[in-house]
Amino acid sequence: MWGHMYAINREDAQILFCDLNSAFAMAEQQAHPSLRGRPIGVTNRLSKHCCVIAASYEAKALGIKVGMRLDEAQQLCPDFIMLETDPPKYHHMYKSLARIMKTYSPNVYMKSIDEGVIDLHGTMDTINKGRSMEAIGYEIKQRLRQEVGSWMKVNIGIAPNRFLAKQAASWHKPDGLDRIDHRNLAEYYKGIALTDLSGIAKHYEARLNAANIFTPTEFLEASPDFLKRFVFHSVIGEDWAQRLRGFEVDNVPTRLGNVGRQWVLKKPSNDESFILPCFHYLCETTGKKLRYQNVDARGLMVWARFQTGDQWYQRRMFKSTFYTDQDLYARALYLFSQRPKHMIIQSMGLTCYELTPSTRNQVSLLDAVNRDEWLTTAVDEINDMYGTFKIFSANALLGTKTVQQKIPFGGTKYFELLLKQA
Amino acid sequence: MDPTAHINERVDVIAVFRKGGGIASLCMPAKMYFRGQEILLIELGLRHPTVAGKRMIHIFDMTDGSNDYRLEFDAEGLTWTLVAILEGSRVGSYVRH
């Protein structure tokens, strides 16, 4: 018999999850009326062997999946159209969705470029007085169509916690609106598989299967103690027990742990005159990220993957912190020069860790330190004024022409600046 | 593969500014003169802003019913540029059933 805290949460559902499915493909169809109703995909860099990073619903219906290569997609559908990503378009969509969501509650958390959560606790008797959760959901759909475009569709999920709200948002795609709460929770779990649960993929499924749990209903019926001791071997088991029952365990703010950049070479190479300018460019973009997040780093790791499939990395914790492009590149180059130089590089990158809040506003007693700070600030200000990479190290010139900026899929930590403008 | 034809040419445009309506349609190009041809733009696909340094650029994705046009309005230089055309006849014959 479980204690009260492990019963199903009977609280009114006040979490609303918005999910723009096939977001990039939908944005392209919104922008190009000729592409509406057609199987299209979006990729970062158009080439013969490029991958689909977002597919329209029409393409998905034909079996075209995210991650599929262009030639494979064209075998399934000869009329399949692939477009290159257009970041400003997706930023605009993200900002529009965030702006709409923020009108219903001050507690809005954008989980990624195409999904976000509105916590409506405390607003149902004030700014949302007299409206049901469903009414708010339908209003968001309508406003998105009015303020962005008529092709825009958003899946909305309503539930007492973030996990169930996300599940509800993916229940009936596209353009669905569903509620999961204590009334239909058990019924909902009967109709899905374990891997339909957000956060349960192959490995966790195997763990659950090994403990004789094969369905979400059996997962729900398992005691928190059993999940902790025999399935997940940690508090993750208890978290899952609460999550499945509608209790909130996912509203924990994430801490910025590392900042970095990686790049896959179009043509693998070990030519230093090509590799080093590109590596220098990766260092400069990482430096910009550090300064944007207003943090300094002490730890640095550089890595490379070779054509042979082998991997190499070198890391070091430095005595002093760093944030300027020059400092970062000098330290990264020191580590990078220790790689096996005869190996042909397929991909490479760097990660800064052990981040601390920046102290660069304090004037140093050392003139050299101040000069570095002022130079970096001046260069950043000029680049802000005239566009990114108007001033950069001459050595990184080839890199600025070769390495492309990709669309970040995961967190929105570099979009927060855009969110403030929304 | 990608049916977009890149143009990047300055064009003459007649734009309409509305006093009301949704934020997406307050301003939109209505007619464009391109290489001696008059093109009537009948529907706005998407308008979104972007920046080139501190210069504000408004991008209008428009259609004349058969082709899609990407127009850029430089709010500082007050110029219109036809960036690309997506020809409707090149998007294939797929029809959703």
Side-chain angles (χ1 to χ4, degrees):
Chain A
M1 206 52 193
W2 308 328
H4 172 72
M5 69 177 289
Y6 295 118
I8 287 172
N9 188 356
R10 303 183 74 82
E11 183 201 2
D12 276 348
Q14 291 190 48
I15 300 291
L16 195 144
F17 194 96
C18 298
D19 182 3
L20 296 169
N21 275 109
S22 299
F24 298 170
M26 185 171 63
E28 294 301 338
Q29 289 180 318
Q30 176 59 51
H32 304 291
S34 322
L35 300 181
R36 294 179 191 170
R38 293 180 186 278
I40 71 156
V42 176
T43 188
N44 267 321
R45 198 178 309 146
L46 208 51
S47 71
K48 209 169 144 188
H49 302 295
C50 64
C51 284
V52 177
I53 63 165
S56 67
Y57 277 103
E58 296 80 5
K60 285 178 180 170
L62 294 170
I64 295 167
K65 292 175 182 164
V66 171
M68 199 175 256
R69 286 209 324 255
L70 175 60
D71 49 356
E72 292 170 335
Q74 282 178 328
Q75 275 175 8
L76 288 174
C77 174
D79 285 335
F80 179 71
I81 292 164
M82 189 78 111
L83 301 173
E84 276 201 7
T85 49
D86 183 2
K89 200 178 278 166
Y90 314 141
H91 287 170
H92 170 68
M93 209 174 58
Y94 169 83
K95 279 166 59 181
S96 303
L97 179 65
R99 188 182 58 230
I100 292 170
M101 288 169 68
K102 284 169 86 174
T103 58
Y104 297 97
S105 169
N107 299 319
V108 170
Y109 174 61
M110 296 308 287
K111 291 191 74 175
S112 71
I113 194 164
D114 61 352
E115 59 182 24
V117 175
I118 314 178
D119 183 349
L120 290 147
H121 283 94
T123 66
M124 300 310 280
D125 293 325
T126 51
I127 47 180
N128 296 309
K129 199 172 184 177
R131 280 189 288 183
S132 68
M133 294 290 285
E134 278 77 4
I136 293 170
Y138 284 117
E139 193 176 285
I140 290 172
K141 284 171 182 281
Q142 189 189 1
R143 285 183 62 189
L144 197 67
R145 281 193 285 267
Q146 279 173 352
E147 295 177 26
V148 182
S150 58
W151 194 255
M152 298 300 291
K153 295 175 186 74
V154 58
N155 295 302
I156 289 182
I158 298 162
N161 70 356
R162 284 163 168 75
F163 166 75
L164 287 178
K166 184 173 170 65
Q167 290 296 129
S170 57
W171 198 351
H172 295 109
K173 289 179 177 179
D175 213 17
L177 189 150
D178 288 285
R179 172 193 281 258
I180 298 175
D181 59 15
H182 62 276
R183 295 180 196 90
N184 63 348
L185 182 71
E187 201 58 35
Y188 168 72
Y189 284 141
K190 280 181 192 166
I192 59 167
L194 277 176
T195 48
D196 290 331
L197 296 171
S198 171
I200 301 290
K202 271 186 195 169
H203 287 94
Y204 271 180
E205 187 191 29
R207 278 189 188 203
L208 290 161
N209 289 169
N212 266 341
I213 296 172
F214 295 94
T215 65
T217 304
E218 289 169 352
F219 195 6
L220 178 72
E221 285 167 356
S223 77
D225 192 47
F226 178 79
L227 292 176
K228 181 184 173 184
R229 282 166 179 249
F230 302 109
V231 183
F232 295 98
H233 308 293
S234 75
V235 287
I236 293 172
E238 287 181 343
D239 284 351
W240 268 107
Q242 298 212 36
R243 195 177 280 132
L244 289 167
R245 289 165 175 77
F247 292 99
E248 190 60 86
V249 287
D250 298 312
N251 60 347
V252 185
T254 51
R255 197 176 67 86
L256 183 68
N258 56 58
V259 167
R261 183 78 203 270
Q262 58 176 310
W263 180 55
V264 181
L265 282 73
K266 210 170 179 178
K267 284 183 188 164
S269 168
N270 64 348
D271 176 4
E272 290 238 327
S273 64
F274 174 70
I275 296 285
L276 288 183
C278 295
F279 184 71
H280 197 161
Y281 175 76
L282 296 182
C283 291
E284 294 218 342
T285 49
T286 305
K288 279 185 177 30
K289 283 183 176 180
L290 278 176
R291 296 192 293 278
Y292 173 67
Q293 293 288 354
N294 211 23
V295 290
D296 297 350
R298 268 188 66 214
L300 181 63
M301 180 177 86
V302 300
W303 57 267
R305 280 197 193 96
F306 304 111
Q307 206 175 24
T308 53
D310 295 319
Q311 295 186 27
W312 167 90
Y313 75 89
Q314 188 61 266
R315 60 197 290 177
R316 183 160 174 185
M317 186 73 84
F318 293 92
K319 283 182 181 168
S320 58
T321 58
F322 56 91
Y323 65 91
T324 66
D325 293 342
Q326 295 92 325
D327 258 358
L328 177 55
Y329 180 61
R331 291 169 203 226
L333 187 63
Y334 166 70
L335 298 177
F336 195 58
S337 61
Q338 296 171 33
R339 75 188 188 282
K341 293 194 176 68
H342 63 283
M343 299 289 275
I344 297 171
I345 294 176
Q346 177 88 56
S347 61
M348 60 186 184
L350 69 153
T351 305
C352 298
Y353 57 96
E354 200 62 31
L355 307 176
T356 51
S358 171
T359 54
R360 74 191 72 132
N361 288 337
Q362 293 175 14
V363 178
S364 171
L365 290 170
L366 305 170
D367 256 2
V369 175
N370 290 331
R371 274 200 299 272
D372 279 354
E373 152 73 21
W374 294 331
L375 177 65
T376 302
T377 307
V379 169
D380 282 349
E381 280 180 10
I382 292 169
N383 283 331
D384 282 348
M385 175 75 80
Y386 294 103
T388 342
F389 283 99
K390 286 288 180 285
I391 293 187
F392 50 88
S393 302
N395 185 39
L397 176 63
L398 184 63
T400 61
K401 290 178 178 172
T402 313
V403 184
Q404 284 191 351
Q405 179 71 50
K406 289 184 178 178
I407 293 280
F409 269 102
T412 53
K413 49 184 181 268
Y414 299 105
F415 293 153
E416 288 307 308
L417 195 62
L418 293 161
L419 190 58
K420 280 178 197 164
Q421 295 164 5
Chain B
M1 193 156 70
D2 179 358
T4 312
H6 297 277
I7 307 294
N8 280 319
E9 270 183 39
R10 288 268 297 273
V11 285
D12 293 326
V13 165
I14 295 174
V16 175
F17 292 81
R18 295 193 176 85
K19 65 176 179 182
I23 188 169
S25 59
L26 280 175
C27 163
M28 58 184 268
K31 203 183 267 190
M32 169 177 73
Y33 298 91
F34 170 58
R35 295 182 185 170
Q37 221 182 344
E38 184 182 296
I39 296 163
L40 201 62
L41 303 166
I42 59 169
E43 190 191 336
L44 173 73
L46 187 72
R47 182 205 65 81
H48 66 277
T50 185
V51 288
K54 291 277 181 189
R55 270 170 41 228
M56 171 67 84
I57 309 281
H58 293 277
I59 298 174
F60 294 84
D61 285 298
M62 305 296 302
T63 181
D64 64 355
S66 52
N67 301 323
D68 298 340
Y69 303 91
R70 185 186 173 100
L71 283 157
E72 279 188 10
F73 178 62
D74 181 335
E76 190 174 306
L78 303 180
T79 56
W80 286 92
T81 306
L82 176 61
V83 179
I85 300 177
L86 194 148
E87 289 178 45
S89 58
R90 291 185 62 204
V91 296
S93 54
Y94 173 85
V95 179
R96 193 184 182 186
H97 298 290

